[in-house]
């Protein structure tokens, strides 16, 4: 459970900013299952469009050298789903590594590592153009995420 220490007290805002800056430096690892309306003929076609490694290969998400385009800088506006509780802003985040594997003609699996604070669901579906580039923009068709798992974090 969660414990509370007494006495509670007011702390300066600098305490929060220090805590926040520590989280900005973390790298998070995710796995997800995605669907697209774009026909995916092969793994080679999928990884060619995404410019990434094949999931399960030696390179996987750790290869950051050509021909891969990672780390990839993305620009994310505050997502529509959180806009009611967060101020509208555009933030730069990084997809540190990405690997993909075709499941069938419209389904695929991704593994990715991101800078902390990256909205992964929005990176996949593009959030109505509010995240660029996105998996949807790279594939050239409607794309959505159906499963998302956080696999870990590196400090």
């Amino acid at each position: 459970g969660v414990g509370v220490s007494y006495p509670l007290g007011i702390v300066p805002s600098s305490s929060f900013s220090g805590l926040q800056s520590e989280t900005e430096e973390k790298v998070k690892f995710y796995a997800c299952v995605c669907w697209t309306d774009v026909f995916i003929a092969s793994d080679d076609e999928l990884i060619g469009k995404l410019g990434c490694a094949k999931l399960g290969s030696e390179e996987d998400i750790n290869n950051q050298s050509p021909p891969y385009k990672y780390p990839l800088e993305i620009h994310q506006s505050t997502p529509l789903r959180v806009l009611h509780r967060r101020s509208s802003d555009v933030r730069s985040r990084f997809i540190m590594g990405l690997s993909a594997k075709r499941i069938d003609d419209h389904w695929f699996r991704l593994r990715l590592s991101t800078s902390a604070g990256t909205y992964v669901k929005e990176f996949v579906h593009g959030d109505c153009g509010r995240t660029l580039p996105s998996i949807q923009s790279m594939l050239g068709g409607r794309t959505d995420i159906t499963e998302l798992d956080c696999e870990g974090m590196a400090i």
Side-chain angles (χ1 to χ4, degrees):
V2 175
V4 177
S5 305
Y6 291 97
L8 296 177
I10 297 175
V11 296
S13 61
S14 60
S15 297
F16 177 74
S17 62
L19 182 64
Q20 186 68 21
S21 68
E22 288 177 19
T23 63
E24 298 289 322
E25 297 168 12
K26 294 180 179 161
V27 175
K28 295 187 177 182
F29 300 91
Y30 297 93
C32 56
V33 175
C34 306
W35 172 90
T36 183
D37 65 2
V38 175
F39 178 80
I40 304 167
S42 66
D43 275 327
D44 289 340
E45 179 183 345
L46 178 63
I47 65 176
K49 286 183 176 184
L50 300 180
C52 67
K54 181 177 178 181
L55 182 62
S57 68
E58 284 183 27
E59 296 91 10
D60 211 319
I61 63 172
N62 297 314
N63 190 323
Q64 298 179 15
S65 60
Y68 308 111
K69 55 181 162 187
Y70 300 90
L72 175 69
E73 184 174 11
I74 63 171
H75 302 278
Q76 294 191 301
S77 295
T78 304
L80 294 172
R81 68 183 170 89
V82 299
L83 200 51
H84 67 283
R85 66 178 183 261
R86 288 254 164 100
S87 61
S88 183
D89 198 5
V90 177
R91 297 167 181 86
S92 292
R93 296 291 187 254
F94 289 90
I95 307 302
M96 306 306 291
L98 181 76
S99 59
K101 180 160 181 56
R102 176 184 179 273
I103 297 171
D104 68 21
D105 294 348
H106 296 279
W107 291 87
F108 59 97
R109 187 177 315 278
L110 296 177
R111 278 190 69 220
L112 60 160
S113 57
T114 71
S115 56
T118 302
Y119 292 104
V120 175
K121 291 192 287 188
E122 286 72 13
F123 171 63
V124 172
H125 62 64
D127 200 29
C128 300
R130 297 172 61 84
T131 293
L132 288 172
S134 65
I135 298 295
Q136 177 166 292
S137 69
M138 289 186 263
L139 292 178
R142 186 169 164 236
T143 305
D144 210 349
I145 185 169
T146 60
E147 296 178 29
L148 176 63
D149 293 311
C150 182
E151 295 187 326
M153 179 177 12
I155 301 173

